[in-house]
Amino acid sequence: MEDCIFCKIASGEIQGLRIYENDETLAFMDIAGDVDGHILVIPKKHCKNILDCDSETLSAVANTVKMVSDHLTKNCGYDGVNILNASDESAGQSVPHFHIHIIPRKRDDGIDAWPIFEGAKEDIQTVFDKVKM
Ligand code: AMP
Ligand code: ZN
């Protein structure tokens, strides 16, 4: 897609630090510099987010997330990973090309990668009645 920064990284038009790629997906370093080892996994085919993503593409992205996570923990000295995604601006998505964040973790690294929520406004049963499928 024209004017999509992650499409340009996928095609090589914009440089990225490419950790792993296959026909469908690419894993590369996030440039935020906010936490050590911040990695993004994207589909090479443009889709905005998980709500806009076909199951084949989603499955390819999930498999690459798993492969990179296994590599980080088996070969790179990490103990675990946080897997994060924002789908839609309402959820905090800032780049409108589907991406999964991988944050490699070490025991006692002191990283706070989990949001501290401020308390639910609706009771659990009310939300359950609304969302049950
Ligand atoms: P999100 O807020 O979930 O949409 O995350 C977007 C992420 O893309 C942020 O962590 C940015 O640091 C990252 N980002 C934006 N531009 C680039 C780029 N050119 N190369 C690598 N990461 C990028
Ligand atoms: Zn794109």
Side-chain angles (χ1 to χ4, degrees):
M1 189 185 152
E2 243 177 86
D3 283 337
C4 171
I5 187 152
F6 286 179
C7 281
K8 287 181 179 171
I9 290 173
S11 71
E13 188 182 335
I14 291 180
Q15 250 196 331
L17 294 173
R18 305 165 91 91
I19 294 164
Y20 169 81
E21 66 185 295
N22 57 23
D23 287 348
E24 295 85 26
T25 65
L26 169 67
F28 61 104
M29 298 305 296
D30 191 299
I31 51 161
D34 49 358
V35 63
D36 291 340
H38 191 162
I39 292 165
L40 299 174
V41 176
I42 62 169
K44 290 186 173 176
K45 175 173 136 184
H46 182 87
C47 55
K48 182 181 173 187
N49 56 40
I50 199 167
L51 307 169
D52 176 45
C53 182
D54 61 78
S55 59
E56 199 181 317
T57 303
L58 179 60
S59 155
V61 169
N63 284 330
T64 296
V65 168
K66 162 82 172 144
M67 189 180 299
V68 172
S69 300
D70 283 346
H71 171 63
L72 292 168
T73 53
K74 286 183 181 142
N75 308 322
C76 306
Y78 293 102
D79 300 311
V81 291
N82 287 106
I83 307 296
L84 308 169
N85 167 258
S87 282
D88 195 63
E89 292 80 358
S90 60
Q93 182 175 9
S94 62
V95 175
H97 180 126
F98 182 37
H99 52 281
I100 304 280
H101 300 254
I102 302 178
I103 313 296
R105 300 298 304 272
K106 288 182 181 169
R107 282 180 202 108
D108 305 321
D109 62 17
I111 294 165
D112 183 5
W114 202 259
I116 298 167
F117 297 114
E118 286 168 9
K121 295 190 180 77
E122 296 176 292
D123 66 63
I124 293 170
Q125 185 65 47
T126 304
V127 180
F128 171 76
D129 291 341
K130 186 163 59 185
V131 302
K132 188 172 182 302
M133 296 169 75

